[in-house]
Amino acid sequence: MIIQRASCFHRALLTSLEKVGPRYFTAPAQTSVQPSTYRDYESRDIFDWDNLGFKLIQTDYMFMTRSSQNGNFEKGKLNPYGNIELSPSAGVLNYGQGLIEGTKAYRVDDGRIFLFRPQESGIRMQIGAKRMCMPSPSIQQFVEAVKLTTIANKRWIPPAGKGSLYIRPLLIGNGPILGIAPAPEYTFIVYACPVGNYLRNGTQPLTLYVEEEHHRATQGGAGGVKAITNYAPVIKAIQKAKERGYSDVLYLDSVNKKYIEEVSASNIFLVKGKNISTPVASGTILEGVTRKSIIDIAHDLEYQVEERLIEADELFSADEVFCTGTALGVAPVGSITYKNKRINYKVSSDLISEQLNSRLVAIQKGIIEDKRGWIIEIK
């Protein structure tokens, strides 16, 4: 029975790639996995889903394709999840020429599987690739690769309400290069991992520390794209904050050092009455997909939303603060410490952030109508 189902799955993968057409793949995607070796991808008993957390768990398959000399990407290939070979002189290792993305797949109550706005991640990767002088997969190729990786790792998608499958597209300059220049070859990889709550303390409110010494990004840099080089520099600030008992760090702008920008891996919102404000994305702030979604939902619910410069002093008068991100979701902030003063915020079930999050989750789970085409069903 397992062999029959796996064989059908193998044929379905090839059929779906054939439908994409020559514009995106020069030939149907190959797979180094024989049909008879596909695992029972319907199994839901492979993990303790109630204690999932947010850590790396090796799944079954990953998608990979490489660019040709003219910058177009070759046919895709599904491989068993595993290590990749890189030259010591690879552009990504020597000069950090790489981009990451993140999106999620959800299993809903009736067993269907939904992807949430993967095309937005594909668009963002193209924008980032242009900034980093890299070729990028087309949006359709990006989305198809995400779909295939999701299907191949279907058994790792947690049951409804237990978590999600976090999908990590990765674009790297793998070609060897000595001088500072674009790599001669690029690899596009998609792998996946089941995840629960991003935070160790689960659903507890965030406690943030405003960092005044280290900065996440600067004008003219790459803070507005999801470059791999944006993340290692913030580790020092995060470690310092966590040693003091905080969840994460809120960064200020590097020029005036008085405007809030974003948290290490999420965007931030302030609420005052019926008005919601978030720092304007002006090149130093990553425009998160969840951020965009929450802004649209807030407009639907008739809140006033402003994208503007926000002085850190406004933290003292805000009624409510919350953060958004693909990994994080929508999380209320319980307190922020700024200039050695701790600002506490109300945390209750009637928060505006809770209302926005409930609407977002209902769309992701198919409970309410998706009027914007955010959901892609995996079949």
Side-chain angles (χ1 to χ4, degrees):
M1 177 63 178
I2 293 175
I3 293 176
Q4 289 178 340
R5 287 161 65 186
S7 180
C8 292
F9 172 51
H10 180 255
R11 290 195 299 271
L13 287 176
L14 295 180
T15 300
S16 64
L17 278 172
E18 288 168 351
K19 289 180 179 179
V20 176
R23 179 181 174 188
Y24 304 101
F25 290 94
T26 57
Q30 297 177 345
T31 175
S32 61
V33 184
Q34 296 302 312
S36 60
T37 64
Y38 278 114
R39 298 169 176 82
D40 181 9
Y41 58 88
E42 293 290 353
S43 173
R44 298 189 189 183
D45 302 321
I46 58 176
F47 199 83
D48 180 7
W49 300 118
D50 291 322
N51 296 292
L52 189 51
F54 197 94
K55 58 184 179 295
L56 183 63
I57 298 170
Q58 182 173 320
T59 52
D60 297 329
Y61 304 108
M62 63 184 188
F63 179 91
M64 182 182 294
T65 181
R66 288 185 174 176
S67 68
S68 56
Q69 291 296 322
N70 61 8
N72 294 322
F73 282 84
E74 300 171 350
K75 53 194 173 185
K77 185 177 182 180
L78 276 169
N79 289 320
Y81 180 92
N83 295 338
I84 61 173
E85 184 175 311
L86 282 176
S87 165
S89 56
V92 66
L93 296 180
N94 290 265
Y95 302 116
Q97 201 179 23
L99 294 162
I100 60 172
E101 269 301 331
T103 188
K104 284 182 175 179
Y106 302 86
R107 193 187 298 272
V108 298
D109 291 336
D110 61 8
R112 289 180 297 163
I113 296 170
F114 291 162
L115 290 170
F116 185 70
R117 306 190 76 176
Q119 63 275 20
E120 289 294 323
S121 294
I123 293 170
R124 190 166 61 182
M125 178 167 277
Q126 287 192 333
I127 294 170
K130 185 176 181 180
R131 174 64 179 83
M132 302 293 284
C133 298
M134 306 167 72
S136 64
S138 69
I139 296 169
Q140 183 170 348
Q141 184 178 12
F142 181 99
V143 173
E144 287 299 319
V146 168
K147 286 181 181 179
L148 291 172
T149 306
T150 303
I151 294 169
N153 295 292
K154 187 176 179 181
R155 73 184 188 128
W156 291 97
I157 303 176
K162 300 292 186 180
S164 59
L165 187 71
Y166 186 81
I167 303 158
R168 169 55 58 81
L170 178 64
L171 180 63
I172 61 172
N174 64 288
I177 191 85
L178 184 60
I180 301 177
E185 185 180 72
Y186 297 85
T187 297
F188 175 56
I189 302 167
V190 184
Y191 66 92
C193 174
V195 297
N197 286 319
Y198 180 69
L199 301 172
R200 288 184 180 180
N201 58 0
T203 57
Q204 293 296 312
L206 297 171
T207 57
L208 303 181
Y209 173 81
V210 178
E211 176 60 53
E212 298 182 74
E213 178 183 359
H214 299 102
H215 297 282
R216 178 191 166 273
T218 188
Q219 288 290 342
V225 300
K226 209 166 174 64
I228 62 173
T229 49
N230 288 341
Y231 296 90
V234 303
I235 293 175
K236 186 176 183 65
I238 294 173
Q239 285 184 331
K240 184 174 70 173
K242 290 190 174 181
E243 287 171 358
R244 298 177 180 179
Y246 301 104
S247 305
D248 211 331
V249 177
L250 174 59
Y251 297 91
L252 300 177
D253 77 289
S254 63
V255 177
N256 301 288
K257 299 183 180 181
K258 69 175 184 178
Y259 298 107
I260 63 172
E261 293 207 324
E262 63 177 272
V263 181
S264 302
S266 58
N267 297 118
I268 190 166
F269 288 79
L270 275 64
V271 179
K272 185 71 175 176
K274 295 281 287 184
N275 295 315
I276 302 173
S277 300
T278 190
V280 62
S282 58
T284 58
I285 295 172
L286 186 69
E287 293 191 73
V289 176
T290 309
R291 175 185 182 272
K292 287 184 177 182
S293 305
I294 287 298
I295 289 173
D296 286 340
I297 290 171
H299 284 140
D300 291 344
L301 298 177
E302 299 184 347
Y303 289 105
Q304 297 295 318
V305 182
E306 288 185 287
E307 297 179 64
R308 61 179 177 84
L309 294 174
I310 300 175
E311 292 192 21
D313 286 342
E314 294 185 49
L315 296 170
F316 291 103
S317 60
D319 296 332
E320 178 185 340
V321 178
F322 63 93
C323 294
T324 64
T326 298
L328 180 66
V330 179
V333 174
S335 70
I336 298 178
T337 298
Y338 175 49
K339 293 189 179 298
N340 296 318
K341 295 180 181 179
R342 184 184 178 97
I343 311 159
N344 293 305
Y345 301 101
K346 65 178 182 180
V347 177
S348 64
S349 58
D350 63 348
L351 294 176
I352 289 176
S353 61
E354 290 292 336
Q355 184 183 9
L356 298 172
N357 183 55
S358 295
R359 176 66 66 94
L360 175 65
V361 171
I363 294 172
Q364 291 171 336
K365 292 183 175 181
I367 297 171
I368 64 175
E369 183 183 359
D370 169 25
K371 297 180 180 180
R372 290 187 171 89
W374 287 353
I375 299 299
I376 294 178
E377 183 178 353
I378 297 290
K379 297 181 179 180

